[in-house]
Amino acid sequence: MPYQQVVTKTKLMADGFNEARALRVVEIMRDFQSLQHRIAEYSPNPSPEEYFEEGYQVLRQCRAQAAAILAAPFPLDLSQIAGGSGEQEKRHLQRIIIDASARRFQVKKIYLRAVAAVRWLNTRNAILQGEQANQGHAAQLQQANNTLHNELAAITDARIIDDFRNADTRAGYWLQDDPSRTTILEWIRSYSD
């Protein structure tokens, strides 16, 4: 359906905000897509000796989790939008905003974990300078592992939600239907395996 037809149709709906809701979905999914692309760029090739090092494990886990979120279907209940009234479309768009926000939240958390692991990898490479790890590197490598642990522990739900709220507010986005942290976490628990 051409964009003009979508805009014209949404202007006639429910409380007058369905166009804003549809645009909000696009904004959230744009963030989601950008984060997914960044995670996909992280594909290190550790040696067999390094394969089970913690940072490499975190990166593999991040890539697998991001792929799983991308593959997860939207929990669609067609009975909610049957008939296509403005109010039904409003509820459907609100549900999409919650789902998109939950996915964006999850992928941001994964992305931050991946970034911490990449910093660990860069630090490790700087310490080793192409050599095999040995006792002479042990203290520095342990410090790199400790830094990774600290960075991973600093990735909190509140921090992620606050970062999104601040960025979205600075961008001037319409946030009226954005879900709370509690709603996002409940949605994730409800639809995760």
Side-chain angles (χ1 to χ4, degrees):
M1 178 182 292
Y3 175 74
Q4 185 60 36
Q5 288 177 334
V6 171
V7 171
T8 303
K9 183 178 177 187
T10 57
K11 285 181 181 176
L12 303 174
M13 293 183 210
D15 58 2
F17 291 109
N18 281 355
E19 183 176 337
R21 287 182 183 97
L23 182 58
R24 187 67 185 127
V25 170
V26 171
E27 294 160 353
I28 294 167
M29 292 310 294
R30 189 179 313 125
D31 285 348
F32 173 81
Q33 181 182 30
S34 175
L35 291 165
Q36 282 282 4
H37 283 296
R38 290 181 193 166
I39 294 167
E41 291 174 359
Y42 299 138
S43 57
N45 295 312
S47 67
E49 298 81 27
E50 297 174 313
Y51 187 82
F52 292 104
E53 292 290 336
E54 188 170 6
Y56 287 114
Q57 289 181 28
V58 170
L59 277 175
R60 282 192 303 278
Q61 182 183 54
C62 289
R63 289 177 54 91
Q65 289 171 336
I69 291 169
L70 190 60
F74 174 73
L76 182 62
D77 181 358
L78 293 176
S79 67
Q80 290 186 345
I81 58 170
S85 76
E87 192 59 34
Q88 288 169 324
E89 289 182 33
K90 172 185 168 184
R91 285 192 306 274
H92 184 63
L93 284 167
Q94 288 171 328
R95 188 169 180 202
I96 292 171
I97 288 171
I98 293 170
D99 182 78
S101 295
R103 289 172 192 261
R104 178 177 75 157
F105 170 85
Q106 289 174 294
V107 170
K108 178 69 171 195
K109 195 172 204 177
I110 293 166
Y111 171 73
L112 292 173
R113 289 174 50 79
V115 167
V118 168
R119 272 195 293 273
W120 170 89
L121 175 62
N122 291 338
T123 300
R124 181 179 172 80
N125 288 340
I127 292 167
L128 295 177
Q129 298 180 358
E131 298 178 16
Q132 291 287 348
N134 60 50
Q135 276 305 108
H137 302 117
Q140 289 178 304
L141 292 175
Q142 184 58 51
Q143 181 57 42
N145 287 343
N146 293 342
T147 300
L148 175 62
H149 294 160
N150 291 337
E151 288 184 22
L152 294 175
I155 300 169
T156 65
D157 296 345
R159 173 184 163 198
I160 294 167
I161 294 294
D162 290 346
D163 287 351
F164 278 136
R165 292 272 192 263
N166 293 334
D168 290 346
T169 300
R170 280 191 310 275
Y173 294 152
W174 183 80
L175 306 176
Q176 184 173 329
D177 282 351
D178 275 23
S180 67
R181 178 177 65 192
T182 302
T183 301
I184 288 172
L185 296 175
E186 286 173 1
W187 185 268
I188 291 167
R189 277 190 293 277
S190 296
Y191 292 101
S192 61
D193 294 332

